[in-house]
Amino acid sequence: MITVSNLNHFFGQFHALKDINFTVPMGTIAGFIGPNGAGKSTTLRTLAGILIPTSGTVELDGISLFTHPLEARARMGYMQETPILYRELKIREYLEFVAQIKNISKSEYQDRVQHIMKRCGVAHIQERLIGNISKGNRQRVALAQALIAKPKVLLLDEPTSAMDPSEVIRIREFIRELKSEMSVLLSSHILSEVAQICDRIIFIRDGEIRYQGSIQEIEAIIEKAHQTVALRFADPVEPFMQRLQGLAGAQILSVEGLFVKVLIEDDTQFYPALYKMVSEYGVPLREVVAREHRLESLFSGGSKS
Amino acid sequence: MRVIWLIATKEWKAFFYTPFAMILLPLFLVLSGSYFASNLESYMNLAHPNESMGDVGFAVQGLNTMDGILRPFFDSLLNVFIFMVALITMRVFSEEKKSATYELLVSYPVTPGKILWGKYLGTFSIVLSMLALSLVYPIIIQMFGHPYWPQVWTIYLGDFLFLMVYVAIGVWASLLSENQLVAAVITYGAFFLSFLLGYLAHIVGTPYDRFLANFLLIAHLSSFNDGLVFWGDLAVYTAGTSFFLTLAYLRLKRHYA
């Protein structure tokens, strides 16, 4: 279980994390999404014990990261966004180093290293120097080091960004298999990845959690977003605003200059009514724009929950 | 202890697997070898002036290989170490910080003290291996003369203690910046600050001169070079090492709340 309460972090005057609160229960994969610079990596680095926040608390598997730093770290595996590992070590040497650092017993660590290398698909290249392997393979080694001590909390920062498509599918399946044993917080900007493997979504923007909920809830929001269009007119809309408000099967959400944002409740009623209004009353409609459905735009004005 | 050993051996491997070691070690051998050759040549000229020196040639009576070759050689060798240690220590934390492997290291369940000791001992052992290479020069002298080995060992003890402090300064400096060059400059700067404080001792006079003189790290080597060991010198080097390692520890501890 990951419990984050009232987390704030300042970089000088810049308020990077603003009152972050969320929990990731055991057996859950939470997708941590948001645009670049939103605070995803800062949050993950704080949870990994790399950054000390200005205020707030973090509990990993029920242990406070700040009052019991070693015990909490022992329960956590962290994979960085850019997997930069010790280039001068062989894959096997590096994982043996991490296994021992993480207090896996002498009798056990070699078997554990061999097992995790097989699971992460790097066993066949275990004697190669990390400096000489591809970025995708380095990501697999980074995942292996995060998992080697069987953590209760797994923090993954963009875990498949450099892998080829077949590997991505395999690693996603692997992460899903792992979830029964741990809480996983996975940062990503790939919506399809998040939708496929996550049970929950936490959306962050400008250092604030804008939305969090189950994958079913977000699907409903996406569905609603698909029903939203913008109407662009040639002239200001005020003279025919009354007609617009009377359009069947739709609800006016906002008016911004020449644009009117509309939520379509019933398209079988809305479009005929719109065409009729244009042809019969000469309303100067120029374009019907389907809204861009990027995640960040979905939640930019979303409510916190 | 196991974790300290692991980090120290990784540090050792990391150094010797890199091209950096392939440049630094031969450079050390070339510089130390040339200092040795030049001291040997000076000794030969003074102790056994050749005929080309004509009337002005004279033999310095009582000049032995210890005072004629090895002592001046070890004085020169220290300059090589002052140059080399800053280059070796600058990468200890700076490189890890820059490459982000430092972040992974502090995310592991290891105390900052163990990380520091592992890094320090690993780096110190690299420097000591270079010091050990210099043993070849007294051995060469042994083949042709009679170096006074007890004095050779006290010189080595002095160098060991001096390097112990200097490596601690370098490790602390490497924690201050991601830029290796900045870390090296801070290490050199700390060394020259010790020179300045020692120089200040001559200016301020009593009662502060004795206190300030302690900061001139290199001055405490003179008794070791004479074959003498004083507790005071041992204490200065031990205190200096503890001071800089404590500063480094406090810096590292910031990740652990």
Side-chain angles (χ1 to χ4, degrees), chain B residues 143-158:
Chain B
M143 290 160 74
F144 302 102
H146 303 284
Y148 183 55
W149 280 99
Q151 193 180 351
V152 170
W153 293 127
T154 60
I155 292 173
Y156 269 105
L157 176 64

Side-chain angles (χ1 to χ4, degrees), chain A residues 9-18 37 206-207:
Chain A
H9 192 84
F10 282 87
F11 289 113
Q13 295 294 311
F14 177 62
H15 199 171
L17 299 180
K18 300 165 189 165
D206 299 329

Side-chain angles (χ1 to χ4, degrees), chain A residues 141-152:
Chain A
V141 177
L143 181 62
Q145 66 80 30
L147 290 169
I148 203 157
K150 296 181 180 171
K152 293 288 177 199

Side-chain angles (χ1 to χ4, degrees), chain B residues 200-213:
Chain B
L200 210 62
H202 293 293
I203 299 170
V204 295
T206 50
Y208 305 110
D209 57 341
R210 283 175 67 99
F211 174 71
L212 284 175

